Amino acid sequence: MNIGEASKASGVSSKMIRYYEQIGLISPALRTASSYRTYRDNDVHTLRFVRRARDLGFSVEQIKELLALWRDRSRASSDVKAVALEHIAELERKIAAIQEMTRTLKHLAGHCHGDDRPDCPIIEEIANGPAQVNTEVNPRFGVASLK
Amino acid sequence: MNIGEASKASGVSSKMIRYYEQIGLISPALRTASSYRTYRDNDVHTLRFVRRARDLGFSVEQIKELLALWRDRSRASSDVKAVALEHIAELERKIAAIQEMTRTLKHLAGHCHGDDRPDCPIIEEIANGPAQVNTEVNPRFGVASLK
DNA sequence: CTTGACCTTCCCATTATTGGAAGGATTATG
DNA sequence: CATAATCCTTCCAATAATGGGAAGGTCAAG
């Protein structure tokens, strides 16, 4: 099986297969006399492993660890779990960060008329920072009272 | 004000200020006789605009649009809103993708003992793909019945 | 034997940011 | 004033993962 077939069989592009080999994520493929890379079922299995891990958002570095754990049949499941939990934590940090952005943006967009007039709280906030929000119950202390 | 002070005042690193100038996001700074860049309050204002937009996850390209809209005092707020909504949509796609990953990973981690034994559903799934989940109510048709 | 579809390596681009080197300018201190 | 520390300048490189493409070799079908 040459690289194109291995690519189709694994869902990893030929480009990436060569790249993974180059950076040492996977071992160098066997070569034919004319230096074509050849792959066997086992290699394709590894490539699928890599693709699934990528689909789960693991970095190449983490996949290196996971591959080592996969091959080590005497690994402790706690070792695998540690990698997974660490990754989950990172993903959740990312989600929180992005959600904070959307929260702010939705709030702003919700207050933007979105019509032909130039007045726009979205660009206002980006330009001038968080607008003073009057959360004051008593208007005597609100921003409005400063006029 | 030279670049270091402008950096502190705006929260954008000197490196990035130079970069933004180089790619044309901001206009070239005035220079002293000894070619030090100098910045005035107005420039710092622009830099803050850029930083806030970055904090909201806008790409440099989008910020280019936003800056143009900001400067165009006859812009339609709908134009700003369009950029924002597009960005919100993209952020939500990202969130959904990452959440799907965490959902899967948490499920797997929840079934991993995390002890000294090698048996681990996490690495199992990465290696062999989605395990057959028996969602069948009638055991006659379940995977179990294939034994 | 030609043609088309593959393969090889090598280089470049992407996005936003950081790091560093080499050298000049400014500022502070002794 | 001399010198040292701290700035500034430009240029080059690296990051992470992927895609695009060129130039040239190989293979299989016709």
Side-chain angles (χ1 to χ4, degrees):
Chain A
M1 196 183 329
N2 57 27
I3 200 172
E5 297 166 305
S7 170
K8 269 174 207 155
S10 66
V12 180
S13 73
S14 302
K15 283 269 185 196
M16 290 313 295
I17 296 176
R18 292 193 198 98
Y19 173 70
Y20 290 149
E21 178 182 318
Q22 188 204 318
I23 65 174
L25 180 65
I26 60 180
S27 46
L30 296 177
R31 303 290 188 117
T32 66
S34 50
S35 52
Y36 277 27
R37 288 175 180 81
T38 57
Y39 298 86
R40 285 153 313 171
D41 288 357
N42 212 321
D43 304 317
V44 172
H45 197 184
T46 301
L47 288 172
R48 279 213 207 93
F49 183 103
V50 173
R51 194 187 55 71
R52 289 206 191 89
R54 290 289 305 135
D55 288 349
L56 288 171
F58 285 102
S59 70
V60 165
E61 271 317 301
Q62 286 171 315
I63 298 176
K64 234 175 234 181
E65 291 180 56
L66 291 172
L67 277 172
L69 290 170
W70 183 36
R71 289 190 192 109
D72 176 6
R73 268 181 282 168
S74 70
R75 80 217 154 218
S77 64
S78 61
D79 289 344
V80 179
K81 194 168 184 173
V83 176
L85 290 179
E86 169 79 25
H87 182 44
I88 289 172
E90 197 188 319
L91 292 179
E92 288 188 330
R93 280 192 296 274
K94 259 188 203 167
I95 289 174
I98 303 179
Q99 269 175 344
E100 177 57 24
M101 295 177 192
T102 57
R103 203 188 63 78
T104 303
L105 281 169
K106 279 181 165 178
H107 180 76
L108 294 173
H111 288 274
C112 173
H113 295 303
D115 56 19
D116 288 349
R117 289 171 294 169
D119 185 52
C120 174
I122 302 170
I123 214 124
E124 269 300 303
E125 160 126 348
I126 301 178
N128 302 315
Q132 269 84 326
V133 177
N134 185 358
T135 53
E136 194 59 62
V137 171
N138 186 330
R140 288 207 302 149
F141 301 106
V143 168
S145 71
L146 296 176
K147 286 193 230 180
Chain B
M1 195 183 330
N2 57 26
I3 200 171
E5 297 166 305
S7 169
K8 269 173 207 155
S10 66
V12 181
S13 73
S14 302
K15 283 269 185 195
M16 290 313 293
I17 295 176
R18 293 193 198 97
Y19 173 71
Y20 290 150
E21 178 182 318
Q22 188 204 317
I23 64 172
L25 180 64
I26 60 180
S27 46
L30 296 177
R31 302 292 188 115
T32 68
S34 51
S35 54
Y36 276 28
R37 288 176 179 81
T38 58
Y39 299 86
R40 284 155 313 173
D41 288 357
N42 210 319
D43 303 319
V44 172
H45 196 184
T46 301
L47 287 172
R48 279 214 206 92
F49 183 103
V50 172
R51 194 188 53 71
R52 288 207 192 89
R54 290 289 305 135
D55 287 349
L56 288 171
F58 285 102
S59 71
V60 166
E61 272 316 302
Q62 287 172 315
I63 298 177
K64 232 175 235 180
E65 290 180 55
L66 291 173
L67 277 172
L69 289 170
W70 184 37
R71 290 190 192 111
D72 176 8
R73 268 181 282 167
S74 70
R75 80 212 153 225
S77 64
S78 60
D79 288 345
V80 179
K81 195 168 183 172
V83 175
L85 290 180
E86 168 79 24
H87 182 44
I88 290 173
E90 197 188 320
L91 292 179
E92 290 189 328
R93 279 192 295 275
K94 260 187 203 167
I95 290 175
I98 303 179
Q99 270 175 343
E100 176 58 23
M101 294 176 191
T102 56
R103 202 187 62 79
T104 302
L105 281 168
K106 279 181 164 176
H107 179 76
L108 293 174
H111 289 273
C112 174
H113 295 302
D115 55 19
D116 288 348
R117 288 170 294 169
D119 184 52
C120 174
I122 301 171
I123 214 125
E124 270 299 304
E125 160 127 349
I126 300 178
N128 302 316
Q132 268 85 323
V133 177
N134 185 359
T135 54
E136 193 60 62
V137 171
N138 187 331
R140 288 208 301 148
F141 301 106
V143 168
S145 70
L146 295 176
K147 286 194 230 181

